[in-house]
Amino acid sequence: MEDLDIRLREALGAVRPADRERVEAARRHWDAVAKPLHGLGQLENVVSRLAGVAPLRRDLRKCVAAFCADNGVVAEGVTQTDSGVTAVVAGNMLTGAASVCCMGAVAGADVIPVDAGMLTDVPGMRSIKVSRGTKNLAREPAMTREECLTVLLAGMELAGDLAEKRDLLAAGEMGIGNTTTTSAVAAALLGRPAEEMTGKGAGLSDEGLARKIRVIDRAIALHRPDPEDPVDVIAKVGGYDIAAMTGFYIGCALHRTPAVMDGFISTVAALAAVRLCPAVRDALTASHLSAEPGAGYVMEELGLSPLLKLGMALGEGTGAVSVMPLIDMALRVYFDMPSFDNIGIDAYQPL
């Protein structure tokens, strides 16, 4: 396990922050485009931040890695459906029949489902699995530190592989029970009560929500995850999808490829990645604000502003692909609009 910790430390040490000169150059370019100053609002900031990570392209090659995993905490009755649904949706991702695939087709984004720890094997699916689901975090740690690090590093390596032929990456997820694990990780990292961080997920009743909160409180009290060590937190009360996405975001930053976050689960993984290496934040774009109660707290901690607020709570990467066409449109304006000099009028100036 020491070797795994060393590999992670070496990767974190190699991550570099955004190139501030390129960010400022992109902002100056926006100011020269023949339109009102800051007329595209947050989209201008997103494009400028992308420029700080990698040279801008007019047409982005996009991909979503959807990490699928099962969670032992389902045994506590914290979900509306059983774990069999995870494999069904993962199979739909593989055939292009899942929601993220339908939306990705419109956005021009490939979708690659990844088995990060499902109970069931899906033939033809890429796998980084070290275990068939986590343990029940209400009774014992969800995984060992070694298992967590192995999947985290595999997620990081996958980001490097995808970055070779893609300009914009995103992480999605699928796994029954993963809003429970995510709320537990968020509560532990932020030091907030589970009640503030936990929602009904895929349609729990009020009674089901109360049970879910009790399970999270009990798990945190039992395992005492260390908020100063995100790997410890994920290993004790998290899920393999969260571990994989944490590594994926680190890998995106390491390989200078911008990443779009999805909803609550992926943003909590991003928070873990940023806690491990603050420079990872420069590579991240917030797509939307999830309907889960804890999402706002996590976004505030990350210091990022979501582009959309649509009440989405689907996961899979659907929020991330929703903003990709907006980014494409902003890049078209950035590259194709004439400057004030080109059209012979004075540029707008701040008054």
Side-chain angles (χ1 to χ4, degrees):
M1 183 174 68
E2 184 178 350
D3 289 344
L4 297 175
D5 276 303
I6 291 172
R7 283 179 58 194
L8 177 59
R9 286 198 300 270
E10 289 176 346
L12 297 177
V15 175
R16 295 291 176 262
D19 185 324
R20 299 301 169 192
E21 291 185 5
R22 290 211 307 248
V23 173
E24 291 306 317
R27 287 174 175 158
R28 289 194 297 271
H29 178 87
W30 275 123
D31 289 348
V33 170
K35 60 167 185 56
L37 283 174
H38 317 306
L40 288 182
Q42 287 189 57
L43 290 176
E44 295 186 25
N45 185 51
V46 167
V47 169
S48 298
R49 293 184 75 248
L50 295 181
V53 180
L56 291 175
R57 290 171 54 102
R58 182 176 180 276
D59 298 295
L60 297 176
R61 299 166 297 176
K62 304 179 284 290
C63 181
V64 180
F67 296 98
C68 306
D70 282 303
N71 302 281
V73 73
V74 168
E76 298 297 317
V78 294
T79 62
Q80 189 177 48
T81 58
D82 63 32
S83 295
V85 175
T86 302
V88 172
V89 177
N92 287 341
M93 288 181 181
L94 198 60
T95 61
S99 299
V100 68
C101 300
C102 297
M103 297 171 70
V106 176
D110 299 327
V111 177
I112 299 177
V114 181
D115 183 349
M118 294 196 304
L119 291 170
T120 306
D121 297 329
V122 176
M125 192 169 171
R126 186 182 298 224
S127 177
I128 58 173
K129 177 161 58 184
V130 297
S131 175
R132 294 183 182 276
T134 58
K135 303 292 192 299
N136 182 353
L137 59 83
R139 312 289 175 177
E140 57 187 311
M143 62 192 93
T144 66
R145 185 179 182 90
E146 182 176 4
E147 289 169 335
C148 181
L149 283 168
T150 300
V151 172
L152 186 153
L153 291 168
M156 185 179 74
E157 291 172 0
L158 177 61
D161 292 343
L162 296 179
E164 292 181 4
K165 296 182 179 180
R166 305 309 201 290
D167 311 298
L168 186 66
L169 297 176
E173 42 61 39
M174 174 58 206
I176 300 304
N178 64 5
T179 59
T180 300
T181 57
T182 300
S183 294
V185 171
L189 288 176
L190 296 179
R192 288 185 172 273
E195 185 176 8
E196 290 183 356
M197 309 307 296
T198 309
K200 293 184 176 181
L204 286 178
S205 64
D206 290 342
E207 179 183 352
L209 174 60
R211 180 167 54 249
K212 184 175 178 180
I213 291 169
R214 288 196 301 271
V215 166
I216 294 170
D217 280 333
R218 187 166 71 242
I220 291 175
L222 176 64
H223 304 309
R224 297 183 179 276
D226 180 2
E228 300 302 316
D229 182 0
V231 174
D232 183 68
V233 173
I234 297 170
K236 288 177 175 175
V237 298
Y240 285 121
D241 49 355
I242 301 172
M245 287 189 291
T246 298
F248 187 82
Y249 291 130
I250 294 168
C252 289
L254 180 63
H255 294 279
R256 310 297 294 183
T257 304
V260 182
M261 299 182 298
D262 188 38
F264 184 45
I265 296 159
S266 74
T267 53
V268 169
L271 177 60
V274 171
R275 287 283 181 88
L276 287 165
C277 179
V280 170
R281 179 185 177 277
D282 290 347
L284 303 176
T285 294
S287 63
H288 73 114
L289 185 64
S290 166
E292 285 292 301
Y297 295 108
V298 175
M299 201 70 72
E300 181 180 355
E301 182 71 13
L302 284 168
L304 296 173
S305 298
L307 289 169
L308 301 175
K309 186 176 181 181
L310 300 173
M312 296 178 71
L314 177 57
E316 299 182 12
T318 52
V321 296
S322 293
V323 305
M324 287 178 176
L326 293 175
I327 296 172
D328 286 337
M329 287 186 279
L331 284 167
R332 289 299 178 93
V333 174
Y334 184 90
F335 280 105
D336 295 356
M337 278 281 290
S339 68
F340 285 105
D341 286 343
N342 292 145
I343 61 175
I345 66 173
D346 293 335
Y348 285 100
Q349 299 295 331
L351 296 176

